Amino acid sequence: MSYRNGDIVVVDFWANGFGMRVRIALEEKGIKYDYKEEDLKIPQRSKLVLEMNPVRKSVPILIHEGKPICDSAVILEYIDEMSKEEGFIRLLPEDAHERALARFWVHFIDNKLFSTQTKFLKSKGEAKEEVKKELISDLKLLEDFLGNKSYFGGNEFGFLDVAFIPFSSMFRGYESHGNFELEIECPKLSAWVKRCMARESVSKVLPDTSEMYELHKKWYGIE
């Protein structure tokens, strides 16, 4: 099955890590899509976002043949399901236990790591040092799960890789804000980032890390 321009629309903001997941998944599968930028730097959401996601009024939103799908993890699974036809790679593992593990760690990223990142960027003084330890601990847990594998699912780039790699666009910000080196703290995770960045689907979507940190400095009032 082929997808024509206009069949799939992604509504997102360029610096939204959750939305980067959606674009990476589509690029990885070679599925064509149209992109509509939503400016999150202004408080008013567009009419399109309010119509397509009236509950959360947020992005990313995937619009497939006029029907919206919201929440990045849900969208990733939807993309995987809608492209089951022969010729499209699968993101989620075939094994039920491995699928459960991938979903568990994506939930950890969304509900633990992202929260820790926010606290870390907002914190100052002694509090910053404590949250830095928590952030590094979260990253080490993910590194332990990665182990010596090339990707989180083994030899193939998959669901958890797609979900986590957008966070690497803030790794330079972590280092600058916390005065530490991830390559020292999490060498296997750092090597994984380099492998992912060698993929066109990832390098095409992820923004410049310095631009990401500068934007977050403004958002969180970092001096």
Side-chain angles (χ1 to χ4, degrees):
M1 179 178 179
S2 62
Y3 295 91
R4 300 168 299 173
N5 289 337
D7 285 351
I8 298 174
V9 178
V10 176
V11 187
D12 196 19
F13 176 60
W14 69 269
N16 178 20
F18 295 102
M20 293 175 205
R21 294 171 166 178
V22 177
R23 287 175 278 150
I24 290 170
L26 292 170
E27 294 286 348
E28 189 69 25
K29 286 174 175 279
I31 296 175
K32 293 181 179 180
Y33 64 96
D34 292 338
Y35 177 75
K36 292 187 181 296
E37 176 79 1
E38 179 75 8
D39 191 353
L40 297 187
K41 299 191 295 297
I42 59 176
Q44 298 85 8
R45 298 284 74 85
S46 69
K47 182 180 178 181
L48 179 63
V49 168
L50 295 177
E51 288 180 351
M52 293 290 133
N53 191 1
V55 176
R56 293 190 178 179
K57 303 177 179 64
S58 63
V59 294
I61 304 168
L62 180 84
I63 305 172
H64 183 201
E65 297 180 339
K67 295 177 288 187
I69 302 93
C70 306
D71 186 285
S72 64
V74 173
I75 295 171
L76 288 187
E77 294 213 34
Y78 179 82
I79 291 170
D80 223 23
E81 286 294 316
M82 78 178 193
S83 58
K84 276 184 174 179
E85 289 80 13
E86 185 177 352
F88 285 102
I89 63 162
R90 296 303 305 275
L91 297 176
L92 275 165
E94 293 294 331
D95 180 79
H97 181 253
E98 290 180 4
R99 284 200 305 274
L101 283 175
R103 289 174 175 135
F104 169 84
W105 284 107
V106 171
H107 188 271
F108 172 84
I109 291 165
D110 291 357
N111 295 278
K112 179 61 173 72
L113 178 62
F114 181 67
S115 173
T116 305
Q117 171 184 288
T118 302
K119 287 190 296 181
F120 173 66
L121 293 173
K122 288 183 174 181
S123 63
K124 298 178 182 179
E126 293 182 7
K128 182 174 73 173
E129 288 302 309
E130 287 303 311
V131 183
K132 180 175 80 171
K133 293 176 184 177
E134 183 180 350
L135 179 67
I136 293 173
S137 176
D138 286 353
L139 294 171
K140 284 183 179 293
L141 286 172
L142 282 154
E143 180 174 68
D144 287 345
F145 180 63
L146 174 66
N148 293 318
K149 302 188 296 291
S150 295
Y151 300 104
F152 280 97
N155 292 324
E156 301 296 329
F157 183 79
F159 187 79
L160 181 51
D161 303 290
V162 173
F164 185 32
I165 192 58
F167 276 73
S168 71
S169 62
M170 277 302 297
F171 283 2
R172 182 178 294 181
Y174 294 172
E175 294 174 324
S176 299
H177 189 58
N179 193 28
F180 66 94
E181 294 183 33
L182 268 169
E183 196 153 3
I184 293 175
E185 298 289 348
C186 301
K188 292 179 181 178
L189 206 57
S190 296
W192 167 80
V193 171
K194 292 176 182 177
R195 281 193 292 274
C196 292
M197 287 300 296
R199 305 182 75 85
E200 185 179 359
S201 61
V202 177
S203 61
K204 183 177 180 179
V205 171
L206 261 59
D208 180 80
T209 56
S210 297
E211 288 183 26
M212 279 288 286
Y213 185 46
E214 289 302 316
L215 177 66
H216 282 75
K217 282 170 68 175
K218 293 177 183 177
W219 276 354
Y220 295 120
I222 300 170
E223 297 178 358

